[in-house]
Amino acid sequence: EFAEISIKDIDQIAKSSFPLCMRHLFEKLREDHHLKHGGRMQLGLFLKGVGLKLEDALAFWKAEFSQRVGSERFDKEYAYSIRHNYGREGKRTDYTPYSCQKIITSAPGVGDHHGCPYRHFSEENLRAALGKMGISNRAVEDVMDKVRNRHYQLACTLTFEAVHGTSCDAGINHPNQYFSDSQKVLQ
Ligand code: SF4
């Protein structure tokens, strides 16, 4: 568990330590200044799990969404659900970030960017995304082999190992575990 991350470090941290599912959502949010509900939940709870405080989360989402819908509409339509995720609205449940199992079994529709790229991307898009992470052709082939056999978390584990140049014996079972294991390697 990491105490806190701040907005100014978030792009660099996303690049170095987010698993592919979260990198994809993060990049789409930066690009489109918008994410549909499933993506907001998956990324929002993950960011909470990595230590983004509520005030920073509101500022982070607002900076993007206001470019698209304006800050008034953000305050009216989107801020509530972010506070809700942090247990500050409604039943005040402190929602937990999604596990790989939950993400892999989700069913993203057209225009959605949530889900697990190993499970939900086309082969072409997955190869391109892995290429952007800078892993070798050999490692890409090993990952694709796991994907073909529907071992999505093993594919993610191999990606982790290729990116960090170290073994990950426990395997990946949660995006926040990927993140904390990555930070341990990098620090
Ligand atoms: Fe994300 Fe888990 Fe899929 Fe990796 S295996 S991309 S952490 S959902």
Side-chain angles (χ1 to χ4, degrees), residues 19-21 100 103 116-118 152-153 156 172 175:
L20 188 50
C21 55
C100 292
I103 293 170
C116 173
Y118 302 98
Y152 307 115
Q153 288 171 236
C156 190
I172 298 299

Side-chain angles (χ1 to χ4, degrees), residues 3-90:
E4 215 171 301
I5 63 163
S6 71
I7 311 178
K8 68 172 171 45
D9 303 327
I10 203 165
D11 289 272
Q12 185 253 314
I13 287 175
K15 220 168 174 199
S16 65
S17 292
F18 283 13
L20 188 50
C21 55
M22 301 303 172
R23 275 175 69 115
H24 179 61
L25 284 168
F26 188 83
E27 284 169 8
K28 281 294 164 191
L29 175 63
R30 286 283 196 232
E31 225 173 273
D32 299 343
H33 314 300
H34 191 269
L35 283 178
K36 293 172 96 175
H37 180 257
R40 296 200 301 276
M41 291 297 289
Q42 184 177 309
L43 179 62
L45 290 172
F46 169 78
L47 291 174
K48 177 177 122 175
V50 309
L52 193 67
K53 299 280 166 246
L54 174 61
E55 294 66 34
D56 289 340
L58 284 167
F60 168 73
W61 289 97
K62 186 170 183 167
E64 292 301 333
F65 269 64
S66 59
Q67 294 179 55
R68 179 79 175 263
V69 301
S71 56
E72 231 171 84
R73 223 182 114 194
F74 174 85
D75 290 341
K76 245 193 245 157
E77 290 176 32
Y78 298 99
Y80 176 92
S81 74
I82 293 162
R83 287 196 301 272
H84 194 262
N85 279 351
Y86 280 75
R88 308 291 172 82
E89 300 281 2

Side-chain angles (χ1 to χ4, degrees), residues 118-167:
Y118 302 98
R119 165 78 178 81
H120 297 113
F121 275 18
S122 68
E123 177 170 343
E124 193 190 347
N125 286 348
L126 181 55
R127 282 179 184 277
L130 292 168
K132 262 174 67 186
M133 291 177 96
I135 73 176
S136 70
N137 289 342
R138 172 72 205 278
V140 170
E141 292 316 315
D142 289 345
V143 168
M144 297 312 297
D145 195 53
K146 296 293 178 207
V147 168
R148 269 190 291 275
N149 289 299
R150 298 170 188 253
H151 295 309
Y152 307 115
Q153 288 171 236
L154 285 178
C156 190
T157 305
L158 289 184
T159 305
F160 179 98
E161 292 180 338
V163 166
H164 296 85
T166 171
S167 69

